[in-house]
Amino acid sequence: MTTFAEKPDYSLYSNAFGYCRQPLNFKPLESDADVVVIGLPFDMATTGRSGGRMGPDAIRRASVNLAWEETRWPWDFSLSNSINIVDAGDLVFNCGDQEDFTSRTEAFATKVLEADKALLSFGGDHFVTLPLLRAHHKKFGKMALLHFDAHTDTYSQGSKYDHGTMFYHAPKEGLIDVDHSIQVGIRTEYTKEGHGFEVVDAAMANELTADQIVAKIRKRVGDLPLYVTFDIDCLDPAFAPGTGTPVCGGLTSDKAMKIIRGLRGMNIVGMDVVEVAPSYDHADITALAGATLGLEMLHAWTEGKGLVKK
């Protein structure tokens, strides 16, 4: 019989250190983890409101709201019984040094992937995805990208470190195949000629059902290795006010979760949630959205890898 002292702590305030109360492990390569969670507290590529460096901490704190549910609705399996997850804390880099951050992120991700572990990353601004893609490309080759965002981030006029240029550089570096990549939620200006990516803009996404959007994603991606990146500003500011560049007219958190759930069975190889800026948040709803989307990604990844234990 489990005594009171041995019961897990499911309170919303005590000892909430790791993501979803998963153990902190600063030597994840030596662990038996299937998935490593890493925080990337970087916002020096931001063009709007800064503060994304505090995103990983806010997401972890909000994730305690999700930790008590053994079998997360509407999934039919327990994540904790199926895979091992460790939280490696936040990446340490020389503060203010963009080059150091970029190289350290790529190096850390490369080592995790070489150890046959998957990575769930929490930003930070969206620039963090570029060094993550470089690391994933070393292991998986050219990938499809599923990109949730209000912005295409394919702009060529930005600087070397800019959270709006990653998906201009990534195809040029051969990291992703734009002919099999798709962007969901776009509702800002971009050059359509030669864009390459399929776009399900926000107006279309709000008209279609989640199942219809998933069908478009599956058709576009095929069987390529899939990297999923979710900029929280894909959601409407009503559901995610705490972000650097909010844009009205976005998706609901419900529709976004349904789309992520629809990825089950796909060959997901990498995942990130970015651009949570808690200083602009209200009642932690943006941080909770980020934490929840990460958890949905983990469930979809687990089922896709055939690791479900019921």
Side-chain angles (χ1 to χ4, degrees):
M1 178 179 179
T2 302
T3 67
F4 179 79
E6 293 171 332
K7 289 183 178 180
D9 183 357
Y10 290 134
S11 71
L12 302 186
Y13 46 83
S14 300
N15 303 315
F17 305 122
Y19 173 66
C20 286
R21 294 195 180 279
Q22 297 305 303
L24 284 171
N25 189 324
F26 298 113
K27 296 182 178 180
L29 302 183
E30 301 174 13
S31 73
D32 62 353
D34 301 293
V35 179
V36 175
V37 175
I38 184 67
L40 300 171
F42 174 88
D43 60 8
M44 290 184 290
T46 305
T47 55
R49 305 184 299 192
S50 61
R53 69 184 66 188
M54 307 306 294
D57 178 64
I59 288 170
R60 287 188 180 96
R61 285 187 283 107
S63 74
V64 297
N65 295 277
L66 310 172
W68 64 272
E69 194 175 14
E70 182 63 21
T71 300
R72 173 166 173 75
W73 186 90
W75 299 91
D76 61 355
F77 66 92
S78 167
L79 192 66
S80 61
N81 288 341
S82 299
I83 62 171
N84 293 320
I85 305 168
V86 300
D87 188 331
D90 289 342
L91 184 82
V92 177
F93 61 98
N94 296 326
C95 293
D97 190 333
Q98 297 163 311
E99 183 67 35
D100 185 62
F101 169 81
T102 304
S103 60
R104 289 192 188 220
T105 300
E106 181 178 346
F108 174 83
T110 298
K111 290 178 181 177
V112 170
L113 298 170
E114 286 176 345
D116 292 325
K117 304 177 189 302
L119 196 60
L120 169 61
S121 306
F122 291 120
D125 70 43
H126 211 158
F127 175 79
V128 307
T129 302
L130 186 57
L132 290 170
L133 284 175
R134 289 168 178 159
H136 282 77
H137 177 261
K138 294 174 188 176
K139 184 174 179 69
F140 300 105
K142 189 175 286 189
M143 300 167 287
L145 182 74
L146 171 55
H147 173 205
F148 295 88
D149 208 318
H151 316 82
T152 64
D153 295 339
T154 55
Y155 313 110
S156 61
Q157 69 271 27
S159 66
K160 183 178 180 181
Y161 303 102
D162 188 311
H163 71 161
T165 63
M166 306 81 59
F167 308 128
Y168 169 78
H169 293 295
K172 290 185 175 297
E173 294 181 23
L175 307 179
I176 58 174
D177 186 343
V178 293
D179 292 332
H180 289 275
S181 297
I182 185 167
Q183 299 175 312
V184 178
I186 306 301
R187 53 194 185 277
T188 51
E189 182 184 14
Y190 68 97
T191 302
K192 294 181 174 62
E193 184 179 353
H195 183 64
F197 295 86
E198 182 174 350
V199 174
V200 179
D201 64 38
M204 184 188 305
N206 285 327
E207 291 293 330
L208 297 174
T209 67
D211 286 343
Q212 289 172 321
I213 297 170
V214 169
K216 287 180 173 291
I217 293 169
R218 288 182 174 272
K219 182 178 179 181
R220 182 70 169 182
V221 171
D223 59 359
L224 259 64
L226 175 63
Y227 190 98
V228 182
T229 181
F230 200 108
D231 186 325
I232 206 70
D233 71 25
C234 178
L235 302 182
D236 189 86
F239 301 90
T243 190
T245 49
V247 183
C248 290
L251 277 63
T252 67
S253 52
D254 176 65
K255 177 163 279 187
M257 287 189 292
K258 287 176 179 175
I259 297 170
I260 296 295
R261 291 170 193 151
L263 305 180
R264 64 179 74 198
M266 298 189 74
N267 184 21
I268 300 172
V269 297
M271 307 160 278
D272 68 51
V273 180
V274 298
E275 296 283 357
V276 172
S279 59
Y280 305 102
D281 207 0
H282 174 73
D284 298 333
I285 59 173
T286 310
L288 179 60
T292 305
L293 290 165
L295 193 56
E296 297 291 349
M297 290 179 186
L298 287 174
H299 280 79
W301 180 89
T302 300
E303 189 162 302
K305 298 304 178 185
L307 299 175
V308 171
K309 296 177 184 176
K310 298 183 180 180

